[in-house]
Every structure is written in C-alpha cells, then in structure tokens.
Amino acid sequence: MASKFFHVHHEFRAGKSQQWWETAQNAMAPGGGWDDAVANNLKAGFYNHCFCPVGPEGPAFCIWEVREGITAQEFQDFIDGPNGVNFGLGAWMNICKEINVELAGNPPYPRKF
C-alpha cells in the first residue's frame, strides 16, 4: 500500500470568495503562519502538491496527497475542516475524487509519503 492522490474541485459558496482571498493572502504573507500550517498538515499526513485557481470567483483545482492508511472520508473531513482549505470560513465546497494511479501509470507528482 502507498500514499493516495486526490483531485479536489473547489467551488466558492455564495458571497465567500473575497473573504477567503483576503484570509489566504494574509496567511501566505510573511509571519502569517503559512509555513507552519504546511508543516503541520504534512505531519498529519496531508500534502497539497498544487493549487490552480481559474479566477477570483473560482473554481479552483488541487492535487493533494495523503499518507497511507488515511481514508477518503478522513481526507474529506480534513479538507472541509479548519486545517483544510477553508481557514474555518466554510468558503469552499470541496469535491474530492481519488486518482487511480494504476490507470494513470504513475502518480501525478513525486510522493511525499
């Protein structure tokens, strides 16, 4: 068994995009805590390989990797929770689909786990 990869389709909930972008930009600014959040997520078994926003109102697409033993439901709970992409705002509706690495032939990114 190995780590799993997920494709996540993010859609903003009505009226939440501006607040989310402001919160995200503050988090990524120097001293905003972004590096600590990434490190804590990695320790917990979650790693975001890419974030691909289409526009300021969404949607966005991500590829996440999860450590071996973490279920799809546990990943969904994480991504929707306060340590996931929502910053506790409930701004995104997150549709998570596991990538079938066997069909793809290779993982989409080098494994972190």
Side-chain angles (χ1 to χ4, degrees):
M1 204 175 207
S3 61
K4 298 176 188 175
F5 288 85
F6 287 85
H7 173 273
V8 183
H9 175 171
H10 308 280
E11 290 282 350
F12 277 117
R13 297 187 189 283
K16 295 285 191 170
S17 63
Q18 183 176 348
Q19 181 186 20
W20 186 88
W21 282 111
E22 289 170 2
T23 302
Q25 289 167 348
N26 287 336
M28 290 185 270
W34 188 259
D35 292 338
D36 290 338
V38 170
N40 289 335
N41 287 345
L42 191 60
K43 281 184 202 172
F46 305 100
Y47 185 76
N48 182 1
H49 284 276
C50 72
F51 172 59
C52 304
V54 174
E57 296 296 321
F61 301 92
C62 288
I63 302 292
W64 283 81
E65 182 182 356
V66 301
R67 181 179 290 131
E68 179 181 349
I70 294 175
T71 67
Q73 185 59 56
E74 289 170 325
F75 175 63
Q76 185 76 54
D77 292 344
F78 161 79
I79 208 80
D80 290 337
N83 296 324
V85 298
N86 275 307
F87 299 109
L89 302 172
W92 292 107
M93 178 183 67
N94 305 299
I95 303 162
C96 304
K97 300 288 183 180
E98 186 176 345
I99 296 169
N100 187 327
V101 176
E102 274 188 42
L103 287 177
N106 292 301
Y109 290 92
R111 293 183 190 274
K112 284 286 192 180
F113 305 107

